[in-house]
């Protein structure tokens, strides 16, 4: 596994070593010892979520009030997503900035984001599937949302899917009602 810290401290892109043969492919998508060595912290798994999305589905920007905060380890198991991390930690030198990475079923990268960071995913093809390992069980009283199209953030969302066709963004009513930064 290779860990690369993103431009936002506390967020890492994890690239696994892919082992293929005539049977298919194998990779380790999470390994506690390597995770702790690279990030300097343990990951306390409390909940696992799976989300399946049509092309153009935009989920987020979601975050959990910090404290307690929720760390996430996100892996695409089918299809492709643009994964966006936003620094929402007051006082952070990178507050209000974002970074992104393509998560897909080819390179099998994952993203880890620490507590206090916002997260959004945009599905780039139909039936794209993502798994979230979460450090905190879902707690609606701490759940928060931020408008993914907030001009202050100026996130550069793709307008085409992985197949080159135009994307029509599909958001939940809750995400559409989210306020800006």
């Amino acid at each position: 596994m290779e860990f690369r810290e993103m431009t936002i401290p506390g967020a890492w892109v994890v690239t696994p070593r892919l082992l293929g043969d005539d049977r298919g492919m194998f990779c380790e998508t999470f390994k506690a010892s390597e995770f702790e060595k690279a990030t300097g912290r343990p990951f306390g798994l409390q909940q696992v979520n799976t989300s399946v999305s049509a092309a153009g589905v935009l989920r987020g920007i979601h975050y959990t009030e910090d404290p307690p905060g929720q760390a996430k380890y996100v892996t695409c198991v089918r299809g492709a997503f643009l994964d966006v991390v936003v620094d929402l930690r007051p006082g952070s030198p990178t507050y209000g900035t974002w970074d992104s990475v393509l998560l897909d079923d080819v390179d099998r990268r994952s993203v880890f984001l620490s507590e206090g960071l916002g997260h959004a995913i945009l599905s780039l093809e139909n039936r794209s599937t993502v798994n979230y390992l979460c450090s905190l069980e879902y707690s609606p009283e701490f759940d928060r949302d931020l408008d993914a199209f907030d001009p202050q953030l100026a996130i550069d969302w793709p307008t085409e899917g992985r197949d080159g066709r135009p994307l029509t963004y599909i958001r939940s009513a809750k995400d559409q009602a989210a306020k800006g930064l």
Side-chain angles (χ1 to χ4, degrees):
M1 297 178 126
E2 175 187 310
F3 286 75
R4 174 183 61 82
E5 193 162 24
M6 298 176 79
T7 59
I8 297 171
W12 283 267
V13 175
V14 184
T15 304
R17 195 173 108 208
L18 305 179
L19 305 171
D21 61 23
D22 58 349
R23 298 169 298 161
M25 187 277 301
F26 172 85
C27 68
E28 294 175 339
T29 54
F30 179 84
K31 190 171 189 175
S33 61
E34 290 196 33
F35 176 87
E36 289 181 30
K37 188 169 121 183
T39 65
R41 60 171 287 172
F43 184 82
L45 178 63
Q46 296 296 314
Q47 183 171 322
V48 178
N49 303 323
T50 301
S51 175
V52 180
S53 301
V57 169
L58 175 55
R59 299 179 187 272
I61 300 167
H62 301 147
Y63 64 103
T64 303
E65 192 173 287
D66 190 21
Q70 181 186 62
K72 294 178 185 174
Y73 191 94
V74 184
T75 305
C76 176
V77 295
R78 182 178 196 278
F81 290 92
L82 180 69
D83 190 290
V84 175
V85 178
V86 180
D87 191 344
L88 300 174
R89 299 169 293 193
S92 169
T94 55
Y95 178 81
T97 63
W98 62 274
D99 197 358
S100 67
V101 65
L102 175 68
L103 300 183
D104 64 17
D105 57 9
V106 176
D107 295 323
R108 305 279 177 186
R109 286 183 203 97
S110 299
V111 167
F112 170 71
L113 51 140
S114 296
E115 298 83 353
L117 301 178
H119 184 247
I121 54 172
L122 173 64
S123 176
L124 301 174
E125 67 180 58
N126 285 326
R127 297 184 44 88
S128 291
T129 305
V130 69
N131 283 340
Y132 295 80
L133 308 181
C134 302
S135 68
L136 179 73
E137 291 182 12
Y138 175 66
S139 304
E141 67 273 21
F142 301 122
D143 192 36
R144 302 291 181 265
D145 306 295
L146 188 63
D147 183 9
F149 294 107
D150 181 349
Q152 236 183 313
L153 295 174
I155 296 171
D156 186 18
W157 295 109
T159 57
E160 293 182 348
R162 192 151 80 163
D163 60 5
R165 293 184 185 164
L167 287 176
T168 300
Y169 301 122
I170 305 164
R171 300 192 298 158
S172 70
K174 183 177 108 167
D175 286 347
Q176 289 180 45
K179 296 184 178 176
L181 193 60

